[in-house]
Amino acid sequence: MENIDVLLEWSAMTNKGDHALMAESPTFYRAFGPCMDSLKEMYEKGNMPLVDELVFAKKSDPPIYTHDMEQKCDWSIIFKKTTMCDFPFPNDRQLSPIEQFKYLQQETSGTSQSILDETQMLGIENFLENRVSLIQGPPGTGKSFLGTKILRLMLSMEIPKRFGGPILVMTYKNFALDHFLEACLEHTPNIVRIGRTGSEKLSEHLLGKVYPYLMMQAAADKIYYPTDTYRKHEIPQYCQ
């Protein structure tokens, strides 16, 4: 009872604005211990990714793939399909993806050529210009929709194939991940779902089912899923 009275007294003091008090639990943060230890070890060894942005809060450097002059991108993902015919890129010089995007933005200004709204286009620009990009908004504002557009842009630039490794998608809840990956299935069959899923569409993508076929790639450049769903789709070698 005494502890409760003390907490109530502290709460009243905080509400008055005279003091700010924080009570630390000796056990609440223990679940984060292994993650923090791993991050500390990575930092001490000098192999922690995105250390400038995540640790020192420095301005993010542009991603390599958005400034590659040889990088191609399917802009029909976010612009109307007639845009590329009506507003072709100049022939006198090559443009990187970020330059292509800004060129199309400038040339199509006021013509309603984008299939995204103004804030979503800012999100695309943020993604193209920064290694770390944050997009926030209340429910129903199109964050997942924009996320699928960004993922499709990355696939059209062949980022996994050109730079090695798959694209990792993480969410706080299983349902959110299922919802996002189901939308991605409409554009690529090459998805591996780790963990439990409540989606029938993703059941054939569970790691336990696709793992044997991924391992078979050590003996062949390309293989095929044996299921009807993927009979016509190849698993690219970079999905290992």
Side-chain angles (χ1 to χ4, degrees):
M1 182 62 69
E2 292 181 359
N3 291 336
I4 295 178
D5 292 337
V6 171
L7 290 175
L8 291 174
E9 182 180 352
W10 287 355
S11 177
M13 293 171 60
T14 302
N15 292 335
K16 291 180 181 179
D18 298 332
H19 299 79
L21 301 174
M22 181 178 69
E24 180 179 353
S25 168
T27 59
F28 182 79
Y29 295 103
R30 286 190 177 180
F32 300 94
C35 293
M36 299 304 295
D37 290 339
S38 296
L39 290 173
K40 180 180 179 181
E41 182 179 356
M42 292 170 63
Y43 176 70
E44 291 176 346
K45 291 183 177 180
N47 60 357
M48 181 177 178
L50 306 174
V51 64
D52 287 340
E53 295 87 350
L54 300 180
V55 177
F56 299 106
K58 294 182 180 179
K59 179 174 173 54
S60 179
D61 293 328
I64 298 175
Y65 47 82
T66 62
H67 287 72
D68 185 351
M69 292 299 180
E70 298 181 359
Q71 195 78 55
K72 297 180 180 179
C73 188
D74 181 8
W75 294 112
S76 66
I77 295 170
I78 59 174
F79 289 96
K80 294 179 180 179
K81 291 187 177 181
T82 58
T83 301
M84 302 310 299
C85 298
D86 298 336
F87 305 95
F89 295 130
N91 295 322
D92 57 340
R93 62 190 180 96
Q94 284 186 313
L95 299 178
S96 66
I98 184 61
E99 290 174 330
Q100 295 173 23
F101 174 75
K102 290 185 175 181
Y103 174 84
L104 289 174
Q105 271 194 312
Q106 179 180 354
E107 293 298 313
T108 61
S109 177
T111 62
S112 301
Q113 289 292 313
S114 173
I115 60 177
L116 303 177
D117 63 29
E118 183 178 354
T119 57
Q120 290 171 335
M121 290 295 282
L122 287 174
I124 295 292
E125 183 176 356
N126 196 358
F127 149 71
L128 291 171
E129 290 190 331
N130 299 281
R131 295 195 303 171
V132 176
S133 178
L134 301 179
I135 299 173
Q136 63 179 9
T141 53
K143 297 185 298 297
S144 297
F145 172 77
L146 185 59
T148 59
K149 295 293 185 184
I150 290 175
L151 186 138
R152 290 178 62 192
L153 287 175
M154 296 176 73
L155 292 176
S156 75
M157 289 188 278
E158 297 186 328
I159 289 176
K161 186 176 182 179
R162 290 172 61 90
F163 296 93
I167 298 173
L168 177 63
V169 179
M170 301 176 63
T171 63
Y172 183 65
K173 295 183 178 180
N174 266 336
F175 173 79
L177 184 58
D178 286 342
H179 177 71
F180 187 87
L181 293 182
E182 282 182 353
C184 295
L185 272 178
E186 299 178 7
H187 309 287
T188 175
N190 299 322
I191 292 176
V192 179
R193 175 67 162 90
I194 299 177
R196 296 176 298 172
T197 179
S199 168
E200 293 184 4
K201 295 181 180 179
L202 295 170
S203 60
E204 293 183 347
H205 294 266
L206 289 171
L207 178 61
K209 288 194 174 183
V210 302
Y211 180 80
Y213 305 108
L214 294 177
M215 293 300 99
M216 287 171 57
Q217 290 181 98
D221 291 337
K222 297 179 181 179
I223 62 171
Y224 291 83
Y225 274 97
T227 60
D228 292 337
T229 306
Y230 304 106
R231 186 163 292 166
K232 298 180 180 179
H233 297 291
E234 300 172 354
I235 304 178
Q237 190 171 8
Y238 57 79
C239 280
Q240 295 186 57

